[in-house]
C-alpha cells in the first residue's frame, strides 16, 4: 500500500451504465505530489474514473475523497483545485492559440489577462500564440489543451490519454513538460493511458485497471524492482526447496509457476547461493537461469491473469 498524504482516495467505487459495469468496487489512492499512471485497455474504466472525480458522472455506489473532503459532502469545493483534459477541448479552428485561451479564461471567469501568455509560455507555446488552432500540429494542440487545464492554477491535473496519437518526439515533449509541472509547480498529476510504456520514466505510481477492476496498485520503484532481472529455477523438489528459500535465505519474493518452476523476482542474491542451497540439501537442480522481464510483458501477464 502506498503511504503518505492522499489527494484522491476511493472506496469500493462502482459505476454501472445500464448493463455495462464500468467500475467495479475500485479502491485507488493517489498520493500528493505523485504522477499517477492509470493504466488499462480500452473500456477498462479510466475515463469513467476521471469523470467521477470531476463530478461529471455520479457513482452508482461506493465513495471517494478529494483532499480532505468526502464525496457528497464538501467535495465539490475541491473540484476548483483540479484542472483536466478529459475529452478533446472544443477549440475554435479559426481562432489563434491565444484567442482560444482568452475565450475560455473569460467564460470561466478566471481573473488576469496575463494568464493567457503565462500559460502559453508554461507549455512552450509562446511562439505559437498567434497561430490558428487548425494550423497547429497534434502535439501543439495537446499542449494548448494543457494550457487550458492550467488556467485555473490547479493543484491536481487529471489527464485522459494526453499522449494518445503523438509521435515519439511529441511524447517526450509532453512527458518532460508534465515532469516539470510536477516538480516545479508541485502539481499532482493523474494521467491515463492504455500503453504502459508511454508512462515509463514519468509515473511515480501506477494503478492497473482491467474491465472496471483494480488489478494492481504499485509504486514505480517497486514495479522496476519486479521487472528487470529475475531468476528461474527448476528443482526436483520445488516444495521443499521453497521452504528452504524462506528458512535459509529469508526470501519471500518468489512465485511458483504451475509447472513447478520457481521465479525469484526483485534483485536476487548471487546465483551461487541458490545452487548451493539445493546441492547442500540434496535437492536436484534441473535448471537455473537469469532472465529479463520487461515492463510491457509484466503488464501483459498481469492483464492475462486478471482476465482468466
Ligand atoms: P477508453 O480508453 O476506450 O475510453 P476507458 O478505460 O476510458 O476506455 P470508459 O470510457 O470509462 O473506459 O468505459 C468503461 C465502460 O463503460 C465501457 O464498457 C464503456 O462502453 C462503458 N461506458 C462508458 N460511458 C458510457 C455511457 N455514457 N453509457 C453507457 N456505457 C458507457
Amino acid at each position: 500500500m502506498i503511504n503518505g498524504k492522499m489527494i484522491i482516495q476511493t472506496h469500493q467505487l462502482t459505476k454501472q451504465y445500464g448493463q455495462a459495469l464500468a467500475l467495479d468496487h475500485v479502491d485507488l489512492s493517489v498520493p500528493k505530489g505523485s504522477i499517477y499512471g492509470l493504466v488499462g485497455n480500452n473500456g477498462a474504466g479510466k475515463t469513467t474514473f476521471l469523470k467521477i472525480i470531476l463530478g461529471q458522472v455520479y457513482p452508482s455506489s461506493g465513495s471517494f475523497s478529494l483532499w480532505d473532503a468526502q464525496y457528497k459532502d464538501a467535495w465539490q469545493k475541491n473540484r476548483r483545485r483540479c484542472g483536466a483534459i478529459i475529452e478533446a477541448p472544443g477549440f475554435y479552428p479559426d481562432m489563434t492559440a491565444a484567442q482560444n485561451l482568452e475565450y475560455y479564461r473569460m467564460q470561466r471567469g478566471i481573473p488576469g489577462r496575463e494568464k493567457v501568455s503565462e500559460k502559453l509560455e508554461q507549455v512552450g507555446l509562446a511562439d505559437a500564440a498567434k497561430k490558428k488552432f487548425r494550423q497547429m500540429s497534434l502535439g501543439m494542440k495537446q499542449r494548448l489543451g494543457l494550457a487550458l487545464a492550467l488556467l485555473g492554477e490547479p493543484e491536481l491535473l487529471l489527464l485522459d490519454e494526453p499522449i494518445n496519437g503523438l509521435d515519439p518526439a511529441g511524447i517526450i515533449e509532453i512527458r518532460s513538460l508534465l515532469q516539470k509541472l510536477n516538480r516545479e509547480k508541485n502539481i499532482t498529476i493523474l494521467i491515463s493511458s492504455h500503453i504502459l510504456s508511454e508512462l515509463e520514466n514519468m509515473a511515480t505510481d501506477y494503478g492497473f485497471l482491467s474491465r472496471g477492476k483494480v488489478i494492481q496498485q504499485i509504486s514505480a520503484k517497486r514495479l522496476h524492482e519486479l521487472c528487470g532481472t529475475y531468476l528461474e529455477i527448476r528443482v526436483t523438489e520445488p516444495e521443499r526447496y521453497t521452504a528452504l528459500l524462506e528458512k535459509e535465505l529469508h526470501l519471500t519474493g518468489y512465485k511458483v509457476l504451475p509447472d513447478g518452476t520457481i521465479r525469484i523476482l526483485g534483485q536476487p542474491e548471487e546465483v551461487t547461493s541458490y545452487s548451493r542451497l539445493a546441492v547442500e540439501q540434496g535437492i536436484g537442480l534441473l535448471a537455473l537461469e537469469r532472465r529479463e522481464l520487461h515492463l510491457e510483458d509484466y503488464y501483459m501477464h498481469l492483464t492475462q491473469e486478471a482476465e482468466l
Side-chain angles (χ1 to χ4, degrees):
M1 195 57 205
I2 299 167
N3 295 316
K5 210 169 168 207
M6 300 301 161
I7 288 197
I8 300 172
Q9 205 151 21
T10 71
H11 178 67
Q12 301 286 292
L13 199 63
T14 299
K15 177 67 188 178
Q16 184 112 27
Y17 292 107
Q19 291 294 311
L21 190 55
L23 292 178
D24 188 0
H25 299 85
V26 165
D27 288 336
L28 285 181
S29 310
V30 177
K32 185 174 189 324
S34 63
I35 300 183
Y36 190 102
L38 190 61
V39 183
N41 293 332
N42 291 335
K46 306 179 297 293
T47 308
T48 304
F49 184 87
L50 299 177
K51 284 185 171 174
I52 287 180
I53 303 301
L54 287 166
Q56 296 175 5
V57 160
Y58 294 102
S60 311
S61 63
S63 63
F64 67 91
S65 56
L66 194 56
W67 282 277
D68 54 347
Q70 286 294 325
Y71 168 65
K72 276 194 175 164
D73 239 359
W75 127 97
Q76 298 268 16
K77 78 170 166 44
N78 282 340
R79 272 175 43 203
R80 268 179 271 130
R81 298 163 75 179
C82 304
I85 313 181
I86 300 289
E87 262 127 26
F91 288 123
Y92 293 94
D94 285 315
M95 275 170 29
T96 65
Q99 286 167 340
N100 266 301
L101 275 193
E102 175 60 9
Y103 169 80
Y104 279 107
R105 185 187 71 79
M106 290 196 296
Q107 197 206 45
R108 294 182 186 177
I110 296 168
R113 228 192 139 86
E114 70 290 348
K115 279 262 155 46
V116 168
S117 49
E118 191 187 302
K119 295 303 155 197
L120 286 174
E121 168 90 42
Q122 215 172 56
V123 301
L125 282 181
D127 294 341
K130 296 206 168 91
K131 213 178 181 73
K132 285 191 172 157
F133 180 73
R134 64 178 159 81
Q135 293 166 333
M136 296 171 91
S137 68
L138 182 61
M140 290 166 101
K141 288 176 178 170
Q142 296 287 50
R143 279 188 278 154
L144 185 62
L146 202 54
L148 175 59
L150 290 168
L151 264 185
E153 304 292 350
E155 295 162 68
L156 170 67
L157 269 179
L158 299 122
L159 308 173
D160 197 13
E161 306 249 5
I163 291 173
N164 208 354
L166 291 182
D167 58 18
I171 294 178
I172 292 169
E173 267 177 24
I174 292 280
R175 184 186 290 160
S176 55
L177 180 56
L178 294 177
Q179 282 175 314
K180 193 163 166 243
L181 289 168
N182 175 253
R183 201 174 50 237
E184 293 176 7
K185 302 272 167 197
N186 231 341
I187 300 176
T188 302
I189 300 173
L190 172 55
I191 177 171
S192 79
S193 178
H194 60 283
I195 303 169
L196 174 59
S197 54
E198 284 182 351
L199 303 178
E200 210 184 337
N201 305 325
M202 172 166 62
T204 56
D205 299 272
Y206 293 97
F208 296 110
L209 279 183
S210 175
R211 298 179 181 170
K213 282 197 166 77
V214 178
I215 46 176
Q216 192 171 48
Q217 179 167 257
I218 188 169
S219 72
K221 186 168 172 282
R222 181 73 189 129
L223 183 63
H224 284 111
E225 280 168 12
L226 292 180
C227 292
T229 310
Y230 69 94
L231 281 185
E232 262 192 12
I233 305 179
R234 285 198 301 119
V235 289
T236 48
E237 298 166 76
E239 273 182 34
R240 188 152 80 87
Y241 185 74
T242 50
L244 285 165
L245 280 179
E246 290 187 24
K247 189 162 165 268
E248 303 291 329
L249 301 182
H250 309 290
L251 193 90
T252 48
Y254 66 84
K255 203 171 164 181
V256 183
L257 305 185
D259 69 352
T261 302
I262 299 156
R263 189 173 273 183
I264 299 177
L265 304 168
Q267 282 141 355
E269 295 190 28
E270 276 300 302
V271 174
T272 46
S273 41
Y274 298 101
S275 49
R276 199 181 318 120
L277 183 67
V279 174
E280 280 172 4
Q281 302 290 331
I283 297 173
L285 187 65
L286 305 173
L288 194 156
E289 269 184 282
R290 204 179 258 284
R291 296 190 175 195
E292 281 288 316
L293 179 67
H294 297 289
L295 202 60
E296 214 53 59
D297 298 332
Y298 175 86
Y299 172 53
M300 235 169 64
H301 287 153
L302 201 65
T303 317
Q304 280 165 356
E305 270 179 27
E307 290 182 359
L308 278 180

